[in-house]
Amino acid sequence: MREGKISPSLMCVDVLNAADNIRRLEKCGADYLHIDIMDNHFVPNITLGPDFAQAVRKISKVPLDVHLMIEKPENFLSQYSFLGPEDILSVHYEATFHVQKALAAIRGMGVRPGIALNPATPFTLLEHILDDIELVLIMTVNPGFSGQKLIPATLEKIRRLRLWLEERGRNSVLIAADGNVSFEYAAHIRQAGADLFIAGSSSVFSPTGSIEDNYARLKNVISV
Ligand code: DX5
Ligand code: ZN
C-alpha cells in the first residue's frame, strides 16, 4: 500500500493569518494543499476562489489539490491555468453533463485530473473514464461545509472502490477522502485503501492542538 499523504484543507485556515498557516503547513511537510472552491449553486456555500489559489501558488511550492464544487466546471477551467503538472484539479461527476470533456480539458492544461463523488454517487459510474483520471475524491460528508460528521457508508465505498480499481489494473489511481477526516476516522480510511487525506477541522486544524502537533499526530495515524 502506498504511503498515506496529507492535503490540509485551506478553507479551515485562520483566514486572517492564512500565509502564516500555509508556511507552517509547508514546514510540517504537507504533501498537498487542498483548496475548496464553491459557487453557492452546486453547494450552498461560497468559500475560496481562483485568486486565493493563485496567491497560494505564489508563496508556496507545495502541490495544490484544487476541489471544484461548482456547476459546469468546464466553463471555468481557464481561471486555473496557473496550475502545473504536480497539481491536481478535481471536478464533481454530478456537476456537469460533460464529465469526460471536463477531465480531458484538465489533462490538456497539463494538470492532473481528479473526479469527486458525492456520498450517494456510485463509483461504478467511473467505468468509462478510467483513462481520464489520476485521482478519485470520495466525499465522506455532503460537500459544502467543514465541521460535518463522516457518513459511515463511505468507508465501505472507499474499500470497494480500491478493490474495483485493482480488478481493472488501475491501482495507480489515487483515492482521496474529504470530510471529517478525524484522527479516529483516518485509521479506518487508511485501512479501507485511501491514499490522500483531506485534513480539516477534525484533524490538522482541530482546536485541541497546534497545527504542528495535529499534523504530526495525523501523520502517525496514517503511517501504519
Ligand atoms: C466539504 C469540505 C470539507 C473540508 C474539510 O465540502 O471539502 O470536507 O475540506 O473540512 P472538515 O475536515 O472539517 O470536514
Ligand atoms: Zn474538498
Side-chain angles (χ1 to χ4, degrees), residues 96-166:
T96 173
F97 292 120
H98 305 292
V99 178
Q100 194 282 336
K101 181 178 168 188
L103 293 166
I106 294 170
R107 179 93 76 196
M109 290 162 60
V111 181
R112 300 166 69 193
I115 190 79
L117 300 177
N118 284 340
T121 305
F123 60 74
T124 45
L125 288 170
L126 304 179
E127 184 75 64
H128 305 295
I129 51 171
L130 290 175
D131 291 341
D132 301 296
I133 56 175
E134 292 198 23
L135 172 128
V136 182
L137 178 64
I138 295 293
M139 290 309 301
T140 41
V141 299
N142 288 297
F145 299 91
S146 63
Q148 300 181 89
K149 287 288 160 238
L150 179 138
I151 298 165
T154 58
L155 291 173
E156 179 62 11
K157 181 177 179 178
I158 291 170
R159 197 184 65 75
R160 288 189 193 174
L161 171 59
R162 175 50 69 209
L163 295 174
W164 187 81
L165 288 169
E166 283 172 355

Side-chain angles (χ1 to χ4, degrees), residues 1-2 4-5 136-141 149-160 162 175-200 202-203 218 221-224:
M1 186 187 266
R2 281 181 290 262
K5 295 198 179 290
V136 182
L137 178 64
I138 295 293
M139 290 309 301
T140 41
V141 299
K149 287 288 160 238
L150 179 138
I151 298 165
T154 58
L155 291 173
E156 179 62 11
K157 181 177 179 178
I158 291 170
R159 197 184 65 75
R160 288 189 193 174
R162 175 50 69 209
I175 298 176
D178 186 355
N180 192 206
V181 178
S182 65
F183 299 116
E184 297 70 34
Y185 277 129
H188 298 284
I189 292 167
R190 178 76 178 143
Q191 275 146 25
D195 306 283
L196 189 56
F197 297 76
I198 314 306
S202 51
S203 51
L218 181 63
V221 168
I222 67 172
S223 300
V224 290

